[in-house]
């Protein structure tokens, strides 16, 4: 993938926004963003339909959803209740703090508790940048990398970008990844983070992975000489808060890792749901749920007899909002799994959630926004209602 310097700068600014956003209350921020986008859509759609809102429109359209999930991956803090003893992570202990506000915290905690983690500790250095793949975990549907990076510049590493995961043997591109859970530390300007790659379980898990990426850092401010003064004067004319940042980027770097054979053992369970619900004039089928150690996926199919254009599909994707899952252990302990992604299938949607499959939950409940058949005057009213589907 080729990225222009302007695009790289925009990407770097996006990571700075994520970094600052992590200082806010994660759950509240996510809700506010989703509701604000939904209200914007409500205003736009009302001009076309002039109808009351049907059920809880509490998320974005298909096109916006894919962007939102990838950019807000570090916002949804898991509410986990468990008496499981903390497993010491050894050299990976610094990642524990990162996970407290990571949307995948339930998944990663479950993986660590059941030793479903491969310690890698493989480092590559190029110029002034040093990057380490600290650990990874993989299943039929998803691969997750935990990494750390540093540079000897005074401003430290700014971001990781242009990621790509490939089968090292064939060069086949598995996924470009979703960069989430980034956390900076003051100590030695270290950046730590998690990157998630989705894959198709129709293809065998590679024996070796090739992770390709770039690192960026902020160009240090120039000394306050004549040029510096000119720059300061220019900034004063533009305004105090319009300071322009410049970035420099590493060359593309690669880390090749042999995958632990334990990940190639299939651990996916498919639970048929087959429950149909009517939302206004639209009928949808909650078809099934697919659970693996690193991801839970819910498949929603639209009625094929309803001839849907893009606008109607977008409207239905707003109406049908599975927003979280609750699993209950044999001891009655509850774990809340937040939604972390979604994609269109051509005749419906697949929604992704975190997973605690390795904990062997005895009960699984899917929570949906609104109530089937009910018409709402406002989004606030819709947000108060929800219904549950007992999956297991």
């Amino acid at each position: 993938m080729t990225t222009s310097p302007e695009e790289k700068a925009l990407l770097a600014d996006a990571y700075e926004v994520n970094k600052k956003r992590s200082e806010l209350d994660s759950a509240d921020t996510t809700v506010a963003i989703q509701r604000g986008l939904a209200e914007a859509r409500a205003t736009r759609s009302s001009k076309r339909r002039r109808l009351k809102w049907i059920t809880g429109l509490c998320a974005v359209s298909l096109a916006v959803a894919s962007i939102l999930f990838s950019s807000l991956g570090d916002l949804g803090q898991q509410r986990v209740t468990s008496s499981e003893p903390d497993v010491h992570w050894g050299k990976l202990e610094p990642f524990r703090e990162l996970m407290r506000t990571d949307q995948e915290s339930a998944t990663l905690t479950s993986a660590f508790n059941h030793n479903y983690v491969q310690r890698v500790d493989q480092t590559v250095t190029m110029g002034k940048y040093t990057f380490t793949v600290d650990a990874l975990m993989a299943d039929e549907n998803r691969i997750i990398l935990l990494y750390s990076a540093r540079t000897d510049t005074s401003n430290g590493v700014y971001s990781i970008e242009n990621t790509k995961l490939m089968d090292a043997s064939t060069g086949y591109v598995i996924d470009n990844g979703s960069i989430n859970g980034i956390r900076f530390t003051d100590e030695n300007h270290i950046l730590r983070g998690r990157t998630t790659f989705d894959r198709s379980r129709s293809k065998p898990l590679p024996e070796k992975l090739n992770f390709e990426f770039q690192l960026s850092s902020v160009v240090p401010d120039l000394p306050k000489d004549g040029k510096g003064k000119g720059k300061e004067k220019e900034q004063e004319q533009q305004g105090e808060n319009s300071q322009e940042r410049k970035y420099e980027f590493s060359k593309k770097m690669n880390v090749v890792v042999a995958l632990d054979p334990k990940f190639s053992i299939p651990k996916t369970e498919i639970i048929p749901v087959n429950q149909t619900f009517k939302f206004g004039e639209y009928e949808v089928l909650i078809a099934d749920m697919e659970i693996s150690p690193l991801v839970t996926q819910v498949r929603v199919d639209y009625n094929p007899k309803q001839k849907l254009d893009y606008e109607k599909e977008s409207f239905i994707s707003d109406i049908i909002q599975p927003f979280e899952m609750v699993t209950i252990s044999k001891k009655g302990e509850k774990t809340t799994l937040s939604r972390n992604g979604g994609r269109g299938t051509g005749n419906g949607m697949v929604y992704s959630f975190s997973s605690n499959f390795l904990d062997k939950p005895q009960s699984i409940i899917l929570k949906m926004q609104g109530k089937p058949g009910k018409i709402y005057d406002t989004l606030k009213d819709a947000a108060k209602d929800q219904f549950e589907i007992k999956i297991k």
Side-chain angles (χ1 to χ4, degrees):
M1 179 174 63
T2 303
T3 307
S4 68
E6 292 80 5
E7 290 174 317
K8 291 177 180 178
L10 287 173
L11 286 169
D13 282 334
Y15 291 119
E16 178 68 6
V17 171
N18 281 342
K19 172 186 169 185
K20 292 178 179 178
R21 188 187 295 137
S22 65
E23 299 171 1
L24 303 175
D25 182 271
S26 303
D28 289 347
T29 305
T30 302
V31 171
I33 291 171
Q34 290 177 335
R35 184 164 295 171
L37 288 169
E39 287 174 349
R41 182 177 177 81
T43 301
R44 188 175 69 251
S45 298
S46 63
K47 294 178 181 178
R48 294 191 295 263
R49 298 184 184 86
R50 299 187 181 278
L51 297 174
K52 291 184 177 180
W53 281 99
I54 303 175
T55 192
L57 305 183
C58 298
V60 294
S61 66
L62 278 169
V64 179
S66 58
I67 300 172
L68 177 65
F69 294 134
S70 63
S71 64
L72 303 182
D74 60 332
L75 293 181
Q77 185 174 4
Q78 301 284 341
R79 299 183 295 280
V80 181
T81 305
S82 175
S83 61
E84 289 278 350
D86 286 339
V87 175
H88 195 271
W89 296 0
K91 290 183 178 180
L92 300 177
E93 274 296 320
F95 287 92
R96 191 186 295 275
E97 183 63 29
L98 168 70
M99 278 178 23
R100 295 187 192 282
T101 56
D102 194 317
Q103 199 168 17
E104 294 283 8
S105 61
T107 302
L108 299 178
T109 299
S110 176
F112 272 101
N113 284 346
H114 294 276
N115 195 30
Y116 198 76
V117 178
Q118 176 181 344
R119 268 76 168 180
V120 179
D121 195 23
Q122 191 165 319
T123 300
V124 59
T125 299
M126 183 172 288
K128 58 188 176 183
Y129 298 98
T130 299
F131 182 89
T132 300
V133 174
D134 296 278
L136 65 81
M137 50 210 77
D139 67 15
E140 294 180 283
N141 302 300
R142 185 163 282 188
I143 296 171
I144 298 175
L145 298 186
L146 300 179
Y147 60 83
S148 53
R150 71 176 71 192
T151 181
D152 56 11
T153 64
S154 59
N155 288 348
V157 174
Y158 187 70
S159 71
I160 176 175
E161 50 198 289
N162 296 335
T163 60
K164 185 189 297 182
L165 190 67
M166 297 167 282
D167 183 329
S169 301
T170 65
Y172 170 78
V173 177
I174 298 170
D175 189 26
N176 289 321
S178 174
I179 304 169
N180 301 60
I182 290 177
R183 178 174 179 270
F184 296 83
T185 64
D186 294 332
E187 179 187 359
N188 298 322
H189 300 286
I190 296 175
L191 174 151
R192 289 189 177 89
R194 164 186 63 80
T195 298
T196 296
F197 300 88
D198 288 325
R199 64 177 305 275
S200 170
R201 65 186 182 90
S202 64
K203 298 181 180 295
L205 201 62
E207 295 182 359
K208 285 187 177 181
L209 300 173
N210 180 8
F211 179 47
E212 181 180 283
F213 59 94
Q214 283 183 294
L215 298 175
S216 68
S217 56
V218 179
V219 177
D221 294 333
L222 296 173
K224 293 185 177 181
D225 53 13
K227 293 181 180 179
K229 289 178 181 177
K231 184 178 179 181
E232 288 175 0
K233 185 177 181 180
E234 182 181 344
Q235 289 172 358
E236 285 178 7
Q237 293 173 349
Q238 295 175 349
E240 293 182 1
N241 298 323
S242 62
Q243 183 176 0
E244 180 185 356
R245 274 183 168 164
K246 292 186 178 180
Y247 307 94
E248 51 189 345
F249 300 84
S250 73
K251 293 182 179 179
K252 288 187 177 180
M253 305 166 76
N254 292 80
V255 178
V256 177
V257 180
L259 206 56
D260 192 319
K262 69 183 177 184
F263 296 132
S264 62
I265 302 172
K267 286 184 171 64
T268 301
E269 179 182 358
I270 299 177
I271 302 175
V273 180
N274 293 323
Q275 294 191 43
T276 301
F277 300 92
K278 192 168 185 180
F279 293 80
E281 62 182 297
Y282 302 109
E283 192 174 84
V284 297
L285 172 71
I286 312 297
D288 56 45
M289 180 175 289
E290 183 171 312
I291 312 173
S292 61
L294 303 183
V295 64
T296 305
Q297 300 182 87
V298 177
R299 184 162 60 93
V300 176
D301 292 337
Y302 306 150
N303 188 337
K305 295 179 181 178
Q306 295 174 315
K307 294 181 180 180
L308 304 174
D309 56 22
Y310 175 78
E311 181 181 344
K312 288 181 180 178
E313 283 189 2
S314 298
F315 186 61
I316 294 177
S317 73
D318 282 344
I319 292 172
I320 312 306
Q321 285 301 318
F323 67 96
E324 69 179 21
M325 295 172 54
V326 176
T327 67
I328 304 175
S329 72
K330 193 174 182 179
K331 298 178 181 178
E333 296 154 354
K334 294 183 178 181
T335 301
T336 300
L337 308 177
S338 296
R339 197 175 77 189
N340 54 38
R343 57 182 173 83
T345 62
N347 61 347
M349 287 285 292
V350 171
Y351 297 95
S352 300
F353 297 77
S354 50
S355 172
N356 68 334
F357 173 79
L358 297 172
D359 298 339
K360 298 181 179 178
Q362 301 298 301
S363 175
I364 302 174
I365 296 170
L366 174 64
K367 292 187 177 183
M368 306 279 290
Q369 296 279 10
K371 288 184 179 178
K374 187 172 180 179
I375 296 176
Y376 297 94
D377 290 319
T378 67
L379 287 172
K380 261 186 184 177
D381 293 337
K384 294 174 184 177
D385 281 340
Q386 61 182 242
F387 69 100
E388 299 179 351
I389 302 174
K390 187 173 178 59
I391 305 298
K392 184 178 177 181

